[in-house]
Amino acid sequence: MYKQTVSPVMSTYGRFPITLVEGKGSHVWDDQGTKYLDFSSGIATCNLGHVPDVVERAVQEQLSKLWHCSNLYHIPSQEKLAQALTENSCGDQVFFCNSGAEANEAAIKIAKKYGHDVLEQDNPLIITFNNSFHGRTMATLSATGQKKIQDGFTPLTPGFAYLPFNDDRLLDELAKQKPAAVLLELVQGEGGVIPADPAWLSKLSAICKEHHILLMIDEIQTGMGRTGKLFAYQHYGIEPDVISVAKGLGSGFPIGAIIAKEHVAKVFSPGTHGSTFGGNPIVTTAGLATINHLTQTDILAHANQISDDLWNGLQQLVEDKKEVKSVRGKGLLIGLEVEGNAIDYVNKAREEHQLLILVAGPQIVRLLPPLTAKQEEVEQFIAIMDKLFS
């Protein structure tokens, strides 16, 4: 019999040579029984740690009731999750989908529709920023301001233009270009863990408001408590018109959403957008349990405390280790600028210290611990990092 020598799974990922089979809290185990301290959180997805009890209980109960029905019917957990999201944000209505890329697709579509219907533009333009990352579908990679993401996929989806991030010298170009919307991350995650400058963002927000340009914030990675507040925009004293969320919203269950102000949301009338699986009973049950835990307990206060401890420990590394050049980010989305190749430190951490961390560019080590990490786990992590850079 013919034996297949190549994996039937497409090789679209540069996978690490381990197979994870179990997780709980801040730890995962591979199929050899090796235990790892996971400070990657499924790329900012398992914000409450792996298999959080509060989400597990809610989903187990829903599993015995109903898994799926179409969006032609009302879904109680979807209504409750939308209510929780709007009550804890500046938005008024929610559209549910299945992923971060789909959430940004929905944001792009609602901006285009707003441009046509409200602004009466024939070819609505969306401004994004250099070094951004918004997804890998054709529209979202076209919105992404990184050539390496776009290579091989031309012609790109038209209707996007790019400006430098954190550079107010060209912000006046916004008014001249008359875009329908601006889309940006408040911490550029894949682009190197670069936070938005508050003064620059304030000016950008004021220009958008003055010229009736939609301000759309991509909170796929920064949302659901990752930066110390439920949403990163809440640090900056601004109010976006559209917020895209995913990752941490479902604690690992595949869910995405956009939260929009009413004057924007109303352009999505029946038939303008949709999703078969988006907002089904299982994922919205997981999302509701997640956001309730984030907003009804002291978990964000705990996250801010361990964030302070982490930053203090990492800043000490900058002072003590010549290989560590700087630390940047916000809350528990942290980037370490290192000498040499970041991936070498990531591999050494996994192989020699059973620590899972990530990269965010050739010289940036990315740290994404769960919001629920314990004090002793933070101390263990700092001790490992001290050895890693010795």
Side-chain angles (χ1 to χ4, degrees):
M1 180 182 290
Y2 169 76
K3 184 174 178 62
Q4 188 167 348
T5 58
V6 177
S7 171
V9 178
M10 288 189 185
S11 56
T12 54
Y13 304 101
R15 299 181 194 269
F16 297 120
I18 58 173
T19 300
L20 301 181
V21 295
E22 187 178 349
K24 191 66 179 178
S26 301
H27 294 93
V28 290
W29 288 260
D30 69 14
D31 59 351
Q32 304 302 307
T34 303
K35 180 181 179 181
Y36 298 85
L37 178 63
D38 183 8
F39 270 37
S40 67
S41 298
I43 315 181
T45 296
C46 301
N47 285 4
L48 300 182
H50 292 279
V51 196
D53 293 342
V54 65
V55 179
E56 182 181 16
R57 286 194 299 267
V59 171
Q60 287 284 6
E61 182 179 347
Q62 184 61 44
L63 281 169
S64 65
K65 295 179 179 178
L66 181 67
W67 294 8
H68 175 76
C69 67
S70 83
N71 279 297
L72 296 176
Y73 310 101
H74 293 285
I75 301 172
S77 57
Q78 186 181 111
E79 296 279 347
K80 291 176 182 177
L81 178 55
Q83 185 72 30
L85 286 167
T86 55
E87 286 178 352
N88 289 282
S89 73
C90 62
D92 300 306
Q93 291 186 296
V94 181
F95 172 83
F96 290 107
C97 51
N98 309 288
S99 68
E102 286 187 39
N104 281 334
E105 283 272 351
I108 290 166
K109 281 189 68 174
I110 207 169
K112 295 278 190 180
K113 196 75 166 60
Y114 187 86
H116 281 287
D117 293 0
V118 178
L119 303 180
E120 298 182 341
Q121 297 175 343
D122 292 331
N123 297 291
L125 176 69
I126 297 173
I127 299 289
T128 66
F129 294 89
N130 297 340
N131 225 34
S132 60
F133 180 83
H134 298 293
R136 295 184 183 274
T137 64
M138 278 308 302
T140 57
L141 74 83
S142 299
T144 293
Q146 296 188 57
K147 190 174 184 299
K148 67 179 183 181
I149 303 296
Q150 300 170 341
D151 280 350
F153 297 104
T154 54
L156 300 177
T157 302
F160 298 97
Y162 317 96
L163 289 177
F165 190 65
N166 277 343
D167 186 345
D168 62 6
R169 292 174 298 177
L170 294 179
L171 277 186
D172 292 334
E173 290 292 317
L174 277 177
K176 296 176 183 177
Q177 295 193 49
K178 298 182 179 179
V182 169
L183 173 64
L184 75 155
E185 305 154 277
L186 297 184
V187 181
Q188 290 190 328
E190 298 287 337
V193 193
I194 304 168
D197 175 72
W200 174 82
L201 183 61
S202 179
K203 182 177 179 180
L204 170 63
S205 176
I207 291 172
C208 288
K209 186 173 294 187
E210 180 184 355
H211 295 278
H212 307 290
I213 301 166
L214 295 183
L215 180 60
M216 307 198 301
I217 305 297
D218 178 345
E219 295 259 13
I220 305 302
Q221 190 161 178
T222 55
M224 309 314 293
R226 176 54 52 185
T227 65
K229 292 184 180 291
L230 193 64
F231 299 107
Y233 81 83
Q234 293 166 336
H235 290 282
Y236 290 93
I238 63 169
E239 284 200 0
D241 299 291
V242 179
I243 308 159
S244 53
V245 294
K247 287 190 180 290
L249 178 57
S251 289
F253 286 86
I255 182 172
I258 59 168
I259 311 164
K261 287 184 175 290
E262 185 178 8
H263 71 282
V264 185
K266 67 183 181 182
V267 305
F268 262 6
S269 56
T272 55
H273 198 43
S275 171
T276 296
F277 295 108
N280 75 49
I282 298 296
V283 298
T284 49
T285 294
L288 183 61
T290 299
I291 193 171
N292 283 346
H293 192 68
L294 286 167
T295 57
Q296 298 173 12
T297 71
D298 64 354
I299 187 64
L300 288 181
H302 172 79
N304 281 304
Q305 179 59 60
I306 62 169
S307 172
D308 288 344
D309 295 339
L310 268 173
W311 278 81
N312 289 337
L314 294 171
Q315 195 60 54
Q316 192 63 50
L317 284 180
V318 174
E319 296 175 12
D320 294 345
K321 309 290 185 181
K322 63 180 178 61
E323 300 94 341
V324 185
K325 300 167 69 175
S326 68
V327 57
R328 64 195 188 211
K330 189 172 279 295
L332 294 175
L333 172 49
I334 304 171
L336 278 184
E337 184 184 11
V338 298
E339 288 187 357
N341 295 320
I343 190 64
D344 293 338
Y345 295 107
V346 170
N347 288 332
K348 185 178 179 182
R350 184 189 70 253
E351 294 166 1
E352 298 183 12
H353 303 286
Q354 292 74 56
L355 170 67
L356 303 184
I357 51 180
L358 302 169
V359 299
Q363 292 184 292
I364 305 296
V365 173
R366 181 168 34 162
L367 311 173
L368 297 161
L371 280 58
T372 53
K374 299 174 182 177
Q375 184 65 40
E376 56 265 33
E377 293 166 345
V378 171
E379 293 171 0
Q380 178 189 0
F381 167 78
I382 293 296
I384 291 173
M385 296 297 281
D386 186 69
K387 295 176 183 176
L388 189 66
F389 292 105
S390 295

